[in-house]
């Protein structure tokens, strides 16, 4: 009996050792897998690093590329397009003006009444209209006749129009958010359609003229006083409220910037004459690129999988369209290194399923157990409950990707300020030191949901501005949010250019 007991004891001990060995082995393998996952995060942090030194290199590269783009067409990744807008609204405008904002599957018509004195709130009426699908692929005449009919209905619903004499043409600012070759402040030819439009007979034709012809056919006495894009509209609205506004940046789904440049600095158009000595330049800065921009394997894969590889490189690093998908790609890599997301959801392999608003919600989840992160993983990615430490890891990934984007956006803004001598250094060719010149108050108009709706993005951008410029200079640089610059700004530009019988800008 004793021998049996001893045998059983030995057997149990052997079994226990075997179980312990299995458990320890699993723990070791689990720790190794976790270390690999943490290694993915550390690798991401290193690849996305944006030290102040690197950001200042991006600043210099932006300013240099701006200069090159102004010197010759095709001389830079930045297109530096002339807008022929040489007079920004300043609050002295008076009268009733209109705006048409066409940039997608619907358009908006707006009417604003200006009293000749700057107002913090502008009295305006708005009308929205969806565009039937067949008109997006039909003929230019059908599309613009539809728009002109809607414009006429909007005008006919006006109340008191006594200030408009019967022989005075109403004036319209037209925001047309498609690639355009600008010919004057009020005219330009369509280069190509995007956003689902495909009207072949319109490509290469003058846009404002097509609209004016349609308005004439519909019996509407109205002229296009300004043809602009949305960033120029934001600058106009910002300048109306604050005349120290020198640039505008849009950071939303996409991104762009424009600024006020001296005409004598626009070398590629040496015969350019304006009444003000300046002109708004549309940078199309989404296409900016520099070897100093921190790029990861995930960015390279995203670019290769995109419809426009090797194009819009800066936009793919900083805009809301892409941040969520970069995070998704990092999570995919982590799932390949470990079983922390087992079973792996098929949704995790779907591009752009993780939109940037979801990234913001996870990043800014301040609940102790990160319940919002848990909910988004479950509801949007169909990833079942994961441990808290994994949820914390995902929040950190969101932080790294968002911080890089915001700090690069800040460097882009300072690049603009450097080019025009508003960064405290005297400009791209300036030789003065920060100590021997007085820094002027400088306002940058800002629009777009990534900045306005994502607190952490906004905070990181401001933090980087201060780091790059230094506190003494940064206190003179103010970021001001504009709302609906694409429409309101267009109406204001119609007002600021309405006194010209012909375009004030010409090429000799």
């Amino acid at each position: 009996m004793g021998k049996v007991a001893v045998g059983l004891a030995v057997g149990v001990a052997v079994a226990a050792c075997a179980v312990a060995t299995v458990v320890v082995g699993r723990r070791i393998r689990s720790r190794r897998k976790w270390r690999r996952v943490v290694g993915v995060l550390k690798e991401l942090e290193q690849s996305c690093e944006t030290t102040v030194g690197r950001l200042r290199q991006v600043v210099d590269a932006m300013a240099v590329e701006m200069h090159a783009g102004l010197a010759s067409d095709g001389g830079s990744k930045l297109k530096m397009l002339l807008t022929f807008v040489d007079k920004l609204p300043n609050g002295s405008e008076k009268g009733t003006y209109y705006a048409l904002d066409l940039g997608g599957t619907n358009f908006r018509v707006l009417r604003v009444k200006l009293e000749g004195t700057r107002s913090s709130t502008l009295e305006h009426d708005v009308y929205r209209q969806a565009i039937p699908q067949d008109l997006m692929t039909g003929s230019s005449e059908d599309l613009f006749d539809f728009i002109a009919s809607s414009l006429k209905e909007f005008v006919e619903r006006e109340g008191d129009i006594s200030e408009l004499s019967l022989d005075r043409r109403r004036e319209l600012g037209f925001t047309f958010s498609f690639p355009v070759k600008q010919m004057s402040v009020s005219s330009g030819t369509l280069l190509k359609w995007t956003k689902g439009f495909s009207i072949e007979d319109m490509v290469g034709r003058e846009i404002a003229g097509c609209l004016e012809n349609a308005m004439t056919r519909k019996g509407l006495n109205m002229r296009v006083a300004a043809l602009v894009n949305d960033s120029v509209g934001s600058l106009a609205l910002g300048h109306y409220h604050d005349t120290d506004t020198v640039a505008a940046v849009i950071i939303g789904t996409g991104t762009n910037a424009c600024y006020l440049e001296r005409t004598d600095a626009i070398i590629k158009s040496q015969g350019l004459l304006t009444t003000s000595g300046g002109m708004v330049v549309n940078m199309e800065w989404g296409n900016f690129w520099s070897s100093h921009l921190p790029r990861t394997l995930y960015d390279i894969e995203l670019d290769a999988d995109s419809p426009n590889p090797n194009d819009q490189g800066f936009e793919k690093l900083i805009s809301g369209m892409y941040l969520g998908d970069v995070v998704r790609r990092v999570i995919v890599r982590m799932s390949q290194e470990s079983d922390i997301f087992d079973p792996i959801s098929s949704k995790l392999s779907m591009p752009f399923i993780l939109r940037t608003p979801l990234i913001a919600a996870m990043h800014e989840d301040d609940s102790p157990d990160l319940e919002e992160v848990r909910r988004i993983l479950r509801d949007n990615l169909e990833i079942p409950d994961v441990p808290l430490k994994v949820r914390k890891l995902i929040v950190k990934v969101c932080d790294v990707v968002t911080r890089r984007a915001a700090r690069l956006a800040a460097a882009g803004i300072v690049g603009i300020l450097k080019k025009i001598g508003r960064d405290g250094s005297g400009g791209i060719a300036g030789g003065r030191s920060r100590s021997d010149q007085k820094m002027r108050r400088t306002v940058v108009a800002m629009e777009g949901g990534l900045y306005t709706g994502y607190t952490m993005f906004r905070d990181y951008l401001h933090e980087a501005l201060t780091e790059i410029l230094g506190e003494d200079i940064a206190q003179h640089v103010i970021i001001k949010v504009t709302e609906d610059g694409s429409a309101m700004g267009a109406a204001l530009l119609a007002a600021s250019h309405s006194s010209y019988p012909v375009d004030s800008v010409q090429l000799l």
Side-chain angles (χ1 to χ4, degrees):
M1 187 68 181
K3 290 182 179 179
V4 172
V6 170
L8 284 173
V10 171
V12 169
V14 170
C17 287
V19 170
T21 300
V22 170
V23 170
V24 170
R26 286 178 178 173
R27 285 178 178 174
I28 291 173
R29 288 193 296 273
S30 177
R31 286 171 184 168
R32 285 174 181 168
K33 289 180 180 179
W34 179 249
R35 282 198 296 269
R36 288 201 296 268
V37 170
V38 173
V40 171
L41 174 61
K42 289 182 178 179
E43 181 185 281
L44 178 71
E45 289 177 314
Q46 291 171 356
S47 300
C48 290
E49 191 175 25
T50 49
T51 62
V52 177
R54 172 170 251 177
L55 291 177
R56 286 179 177 152
Q57 289 176 319
V58 174
V59 168
D60 292 342
M62 178 70 79
V64 168
E65 286 294 306
M66 291 172 69
H67 186 79
L70 291 173
S72 64
D73 287 328
S76 166
K77 277 282 198 178
L78 295 173
K79 291 185 172 62
M80 304 300 285
L81 302 174
L82 306 187
T83 67
F84 296 88
V85 172
D86 72 323
K87 184 179 179 184
L88 290 169
N90 58 20
S92 64
E93 295 78 17
K94 189 174 182 179
T96 299
Y97 299 91
Y98 300 82
L100 169 63
D101 182 9
L102 175 63
T105 56
N106 58 70
F107 66 88
R108 293 179 302 151
V109 181
L110 178 144
R111 175 177 52 243
V112 61
K113 188 173 183 180
L114 305 173
E115 301 293 346
T117 56
R118 184 178 292 112
S119 172
S120 58
T121 57
L122 291 169
E123 178 186 342
H124 65 281
D125 304 301
V126 181
Y127 169 72
R128 292 175 174 82
Q129 175 67 57
I131 299 175
Q133 187 68 35
D134 61 305
L135 293 183
M136 296 173 65
T137 56
S139 70
S140 58
E141 186 169 306
D142 289 342
L143 174 65
F144 282 106
D145 277 355
F146 178 75
I147 292 172
S149 294
S150 298
L151 263 170
K152 184 179 181 183
E153 290 176 12
F154 179 74
V155 168
E156 288 176 345
R157 289 200 298 268
E158 287 179 345
D160 180 17
I161 58 170
S162 58
E163 66 177 77
L164 294 172
S165 60
L166 294 176
D167 59 346
R168 182 181 183 275
R169 297 181 77 182
R170 292 176 173 82
E171 292 175 303
L172 172 82
F174 187 7
T175 300
F176 188 76
S177 298
F178 299 92
V180 169
K181 180 175 176 56
Q182 199 90 20
M183 309 301 293
S184 71
V185 70
S186 60
S187 65
T189 57
L190 175 66
L191 297 176
K192 65 177 181 179
W193 285 109
T194 57
K195 307 174 187 178
F197 282 80
S198 180
I199 303 173
E200 293 182 5
D201 72 342
M202 186 65 208
V203 176
R205 293 181 62 186
E206 202 283 298
I207 302 150
C210 289
L211 176 59
E212 288 183 341
N213 289 339
M215 291 190 292
T216 299
R217 287 193 295 271
K218 298 300 178 181
L220 179 58
N221 191 23
M222 184 179 285
R223 68 176 283 263
V224 176
L227 177 70
V228 299
N229 75 358
D230 50 3
S231 64
V232 177
S234 294
L235 177 56
L237 182 57
H239 197 271
Y240 172 85
H241 288 300
D242 191 327
T243 53
D244 286 333
T245 304
V246 297
V249 175
I250 294 178
I251 309 179
T253 303
T255 185
N256 194 16
C258 66
Y259 73 105
L260 189 60
E261 180 61 273
R262 302 187 331 271
T263 49
D264 61 5
I266 307 175
I267 302 169
K268 62 185 177 183
S269 297
Q270 291 185 344
L272 198 65
L273 296 177
T274 69
T275 56
S276 65
M279 180 183 289
V280 176
V281 174
N282 169 21
M283 294 174 62
E284 292 293 335
W285 87 345
N287 204 42
F288 168 68
W289 189 252
S290 164
S291 60
H292 299 299
L293 292 170
R295 200 182 193 201
T296 70
L297 174 66
Y298 313 105
D299 301 307
I300 295 170
E301 291 174 347
L302 184 151
D303 180 57
D305 293 342
S306 71
N308 56 341
N310 300 315
D311 196 23
Q312 296 297 103
F314 195 49
E315 182 171 80
K316 288 170 182 172
L317 291 178
I318 73 169
S319 79
M321 177 74 183
Y322 301 99
L323 298 190
D325 205 56
V326 174
V327 171
R328 180 193 66 82
R329 289 169 185 268
V330 177
I331 295 174
V332 168
R333 169 78 184 284
M334 288 178 168
S335 71
Q336 293 168 346
E337 295 291 337
S338 173
D339 56 2
I340 58 174
F341 297 114
D342 277 351
I344 298 175
S345 167
S346 60
K347 284 201 169 184
L348 195 55
S349 63
M350 296 174 61
F352 298 102
I353 191 170
L354 196 59
R355 298 177 298 108
T356 298
L358 299 175
I359 298 303
M362 290 194 292
H363 191 188
E364 297 175 347
D365 183 1
D366 58 1
S367 62
D369 295 328
L370 298 178
E371 286 301 321
E372 185 66 8
V373 178
R374 186 204 305 269
R375 184 194 65 78
I376 290 171
L377 292 176
R378 183 188 66 235
D379 296 350
N380 296 89
L381 294 180
E382 294 182 354
I383 296 176
D385 191 28
V386 295
L388 179 59
K389 70 175 184 177
V390 176
R391 298 200 295 274
K392 287 181 177 179
L393 199 70
I394 291 174
V395 171
K396 184 60 178 176
V397 172
C398 296
D399 182 75
V400 172
V401 173
T402 297
R403 185 173 184 269
R404 177 188 65 168
R407 289 172 69 82
L408 291 178
I413 292 170
V414 179
I416 297 174
L417 301 184
K418 183 180 181 68
K419 171 64 182 70
I420 60 177
R422 293 292 192 103
D423 70 327
S425 69
I428 187 171
R432 291 177 294 175
S433 67
R434 292 174 181 233
S435 60
D436 63 5
Q437 67 169 328
K438 183 178 180 181
M439 181 66 187
R440 296 171 58 187
R441 181 176 181 271
T442 299
V443 178
V444 177
M446 180 70 74
E447 192 160 342
L450 192 57
Y451 180 87
T452 60
Y454 195 166
T455 303
M456 293 296 291
F457 181 93
R458 185 168 63 249
D459 290 347
Y460 279 142
L461 187 150
H462 284 270
E463 176 187 74
L465 281 176
T466 301
E467 289 181 21
I468 299 167
L469 292 168
E471 290 187 7
D472 290 344
I473 300 299
Q475 64 180 324
H476 298 286
V477 177
I478 299 122
I479 306 292
K480 278 193 174 183
V481 172
T482 60
E483 294 183 8
D484 201 14
S486 60
M488 293 290 291
L492 291 170
L493 285 168
S496 65
H497 287 81
S498 67
S499 60
Y500 303 121
V502 294
D503 294 330
S504 67
V505 186
Q506 55 183 316
L507 284 172
L508 298 180

